[in-house]
Amino acid sequence: MNWDNIPLLIILTLSVIGNNHSVSIAALLLLLIKLLGFETWFPFIENHGISIGITVLTLAVLTPVAQGRISVNNMLEAFKSPTGLVAIAIGILVAWIAAQGVPFMKDTPEAVTALIVGTLIGVCFFQGLAVGPLIAGGMVSLVISLFGLFK
């Protein structure tokens, strides 16, 4: 057995124990890609996977708009309630924070491993979602910038 497969097997095991199907499927697919000799796919997945994932997530979020269940009037109503205004503000903030995470994760590879471990713990044991690494990366970038910890 290739010892390089152990981390994926651990992640697969933890995600099954934690009953997180998304991480289980992702770990299993990556393990199968590796075991079947399709490692040449990894650079494509690494370079485009986040964009593809965000596109699929956005597709799911916009589906009620496409189906007509959310209208322009519904969207305008969001600006009329305190909850709607807070949700808009938080949406803007989180989107901006996540955008800060992308370059940070590219420029700070040592933080990526820690973010992955933290995200996996959150996903497998705290019913979190695997969208965390970008937001977490952005938050780490902001905290490090605030405290002047960048090299």
Side-chain angles (χ1 to χ4, degrees):
M1 175 196 257
N2 186 344
W3 291 101
D4 291 343
N5 295 332
I6 297 298
L8 282 174
L9 288 170
I10 291 170
I11 291 167
L12 178 59
T13 302
L14 290 174
S15 62
V16 169
I17 291 169
N19 199 28
N20 190 293
H21 303 294
S22 298
V23 176
S24 298
I25 291 167
L28 184 60
L29 285 174
L30 290 171
L31 195 57
L32 284 173
I33 288 169
K34 208 171 174 187
L35 293 174
L36 294 173
F38 295 113
E39 290 96 345
T40 57
W41 293 5
F42 286 151
F44 178 84
I45 294 168
E46 185 175 10
N47 291 329
H48 303 289
I50 290 174
S51 295
I52 292 167
I54 290 170
T55 301
V56 171
L57 181 61
T58 304
L59 184 71
V61 169
L62 292 177
T63 298
V65 176
Q67 292 175 321
R69 291 193 329 237
I70 296 176
S71 66
V72 173
N73 287 338
N74 296 129
M75 290 181 202
L76 293 174
E77 288 295 317
F79 291 93
K80 295 179 182 177
S81 73
T83 302
L85 291 172
V86 169
I88 290 168
I90 296 296
I92 292 168
L93 179 65
V94 168
W96 180 78
I97 289 172
Q100 307 311 301
V102 174
F104 174 75
M105 290 173 72
K106 286 182 182 174
D107 296 339
T108 319
E110 65 272 15
V112 173
T113 302
L115 289 170
I116 290 169
V117 169
T119 299
L120 285 172
I121 291 169
V123 165
C124 292
F125 300 109
F126 298 99
Q127 288 75 48
L129 295 175
V131 296
L134 289 178
I135 297 166
M139 292 174 74
V140 171
S141 173
L142 292 174
V143 168
I144 288 175
S145 294
L146 286 173
F147 292 107
L149 299 174
F150 269 128
K151 303 175 202 171

